Amino acid sequence: VLEIAMGVKSSVPMAGVASRIDDRSRRVFLTFGIVLGVVFGRLLIPELAVAAEHLSTGDVGRALREIVDEPDLFAADLLAVRPLLAAFGAVFVWLVFAEYLFNTDRLTRRPWMGAPEAALARVKHPWAWSWATAAAGATTVALLVAADERLQVLAWSAAGGAAYGLSKAVA
């Protein structure tokens, strides 16, 4: 219930995006976009992350069996992949926020964060700044984690960026 409630809170920025598109597209976006976002983002990504961890053993189905038969083991496995999920989500969410912060669409609007936001919204090459700041953040975090987790954190960060790119391509 908490995961679904947290997913629904993202409907506020989605409604802002939906206000800029035509009625038919808005209905599709709000119906499928929010439902799929909540279902996939909140209910399937943790299982997929644990399943990916089991790739090395060749037993991907183990994650699904753990959910049903051994929830304590699944919780431990999920805790082990938490930094990877955080890396994925942080890059994805940052890119969504940076789209607004750097005003990548160059929309006329009043900055609600004041002068700093107004200055950032006027930078040249806003998309480049969005991606550069996401890459800088992911690299910084990768340097802060244990050495044996750095490559995984960078890979999941890249996957978060790829998911954002895919969502923009679909949009």
Side-chain angles (χ1 to χ4, degrees):
V1 171
L2 178 62
E3 287 297 327
I4 291 170
M6 296 301 286
V8 169
K9 77 175 177 58
S10 64
S11 64
V12 174
M14 286 185 185
V17 170
S19 69
R20 298 189 308 236
I21 56 180
D22 64 85
D23 285 340
R24 181 178 177 275
S25 298
R26 182 180 309 127
R27 280 193 301 274
V28 171
F29 173 77
L30 292 174
T31 302
F32 295 107
I34 291 176
V35 170
L36 290 176
V38 169
V39 169
F40 185 73
R42 299 294 181 170
L43 300 178
L44 295 178
I45 285 180
E47 290 79 4
L48 293 173
V50 171
E53 276 295 299
H54 288 294
L55 279 174
S56 61
T57 64
D59 192 6
V60 176
R62 178 157 179 78
L64 296 175
R65 288 193 304 275
E66 284 180 7
I67 293 168
V68 176
D69 297 334
E70 304 172 68
D72 291 338
L73 185 57
F74 179 76
D77 285 347
L78 188 57
L79 190 59
V81 297
R82 189 179 81 191
L84 309 179
L85 287 172
F88 178 95
V91 168
F92 186 93
V93 169
W94 173 257
L95 287 169
V96 170
F97 177 64
E99 184 177 331
Y100 177 84
L101 186 64
F102 293 109
N103 194 9
T104 57
D105 296 331
R106 297 301 188 203
L107 299 173
T108 303
R109 59 178 168 76
R110 184 171 116 326
W112 57 273
M113 291 172 30
E117 178 190 345
L120 290 173
R122 289 189 306 267
V123 300
K124 291 184 179 184
H125 312 294
W127 286 106
W129 278 100
S130 296
W131 286 92
T133 54
T139 303
T140 301
V141 169
L143 293 173
L144 295 174
V145 299
D148 61 331
E149 292 183 336
R150 286 183 182 144
L151 187 58
Q152 287 181 310
V153 166
L154 287 173
W156 280 76
S157 296
Y164 171 81
L166 178 65
S167 73
K168 290 302 289 182
V170 168

